[in-house]
Amino acid sequence: MSEAPKLSVLAFGAHPDDVELGCAGLLALCARRGQPAGAVDLTRGEGASRGTVAEREREAAQSAGLLGLAARENLGLPDLHLQDTLDHRLAVAEVIRRYRADLILAPSPHDRHPDHAAASAFVTHGAFLARLPRIETEHPPYAPCAVLYYLIHEHLAPSFVVDITDVWEVKRAAVAAYRSQFDQPMPEGYRFVGTADYHAATEARAGYWGAQIQRPYGEAYLTARVLRLDDPVALLT
Ligand SMILES: [Zn+2]
């Protein structure tokens, strides 16, 4: 068995750069607070319209350093072919067990990129399987506390918004590390389905969610379960 650091938060992204767009603010906040945070990129991004696998790998490592991640790895699953299969669920369960991660961050269940939606499903199911003793992987069972979903493209009503104002510059730098993705012109004649300027779009989204909580920048999250709240006065005053 490998000695992996125990993580407070483990974020899964379908492609290198997804966790930066969706939840880099929360990861950076956790790292600053001494809550070890990590990221698992499910694919190497070999199906991308721009950039090479080697470039993405270097960019992911640079971003991990900026965010202060305690761990980052790539599972090398097939880009553009992600499906909610037993093999993919088990791969997720094993990595959750290895890092003994308490909070799991996954892509939103509703996203226009099929890989993102598929990853959302098999990360959710893998997190469930991780706790079951009759599911055998390399490491023993481990029960994460919750799965939270981050938003990338679609607008969904969030369960809560995290104030990322103090780490906004860190998030912006982590996204900017992906020069192969966000600072290269698209191929001639290519009809881009995303946005022409991801930096502007990322700042606009963070500003929009921040406005919902009266702060400059925010990140939106969904929970599948109802959150228990013991002391509304302490939280809201
Ligand atoms: Zn992606």
Side-chain angles (χ1 to χ4, degrees):
M1 286 188 196
S2 60
E3 282 302 315
K6 177 180 165 41
L7 298 179
S8 296
V9 179
L10 178 57
F12 288 86
H15 315 101
D17 73 16
D18 286 342
V19 300
E20 280 77 7
L21 294 169
C23 61
L26 178 52
L27 293 176
L29 280 175
C30 289
R32 283 187 175 196
R33 292 169 179 160
Q35 301 161 335
V40 169
D41 304 307
L42 295 165
T43 76
R44 300 187 191 284
E46 70 272 16
S49 307
R50 298 185 278 197
T52 65
V53 166
E55 285 172 322
R56 296 285 275 275
E57 200 173 301
R58 282 194 299 273
E59 292 162 351
Q62 185 188 346
S63 169
L66 293 168
L67 296 173
L69 299 185
R72 182 168 206 159
E73 66 176 270
N74 195 303
L75 293 192
L77 302 181
D79 192 12
L80 301 180
H81 293 74
L82 291 186
Q83 302 266 348
D84 179 18
T85 63
L86 180 60
D87 282 350
H88 291 168
R89 294 177 182 183
L90 292 175
V92 167
E94 164 55 20
V95 81
I96 289 172
R97 289 173 168 186
R98 179 150 47 84
Y99 286 111
R100 292 158 291 151
D102 293 323
L103 293 187
I104 307 301
L105 307 182
S108 164
H110 305 288
D111 189 285
R112 66 186 180 217
H113 196 310
D115 276 353
H116 296 183
S120 183
F122 72 77
V123 170
T124 302
H125 295 136
F128 187 88
L129 295 184
R131 74 191 63 192
L132 301 181
R134 293 286 173 89
I135 292 289
E136 291 188 8
T137 68
E138 190 182 342
H139 286 76
Y142 187 85
C145 301
V147 180
L148 305 177
Y149 302 95
Y150 58 80
L151 306 183
I152 294 184
H153 294 118
E154 314 301 347
H155 182 110
L156 299 170
S159 304
F160 58 85
V161 172
V162 174
D163 176 10
I164 62 162
T165 305
D166 288 349
V167 292
W168 164 247
E169 291 300 334
V170 178
K171 171 163 177 149
R172 182 155 68 182
V175 172
Y178 291 88
R179 288 177 296 280
S180 73
Q181 300 306 297
F182 306 133
D183 290 324
Q184 302 296 325
M186 294 304 290
E188 189 79 23
Y190 186 88
R191 287 189 173 175
F192 195 34
V193 297
T195 175
D197 188 339
Y198 257 92
H199 298 299
T202 302
E203 180 155 9
R205 268 195 297 273
Y208 174 77
W209 292 120
Q212 313 303 307
I213 56 168
Q214 293 82 51
R215 293 291 292 156
Y217 296 105
E219 269 175 355
Y221 291 88
L222 300 169
T223 63
R225 288 164 43 189
V226 174
L227 293 180
R228 189 186 83 192
L229 182 53
D230 291 325
D231 189 345
V233 174
L235 181 71
L236 299 171
T237 61

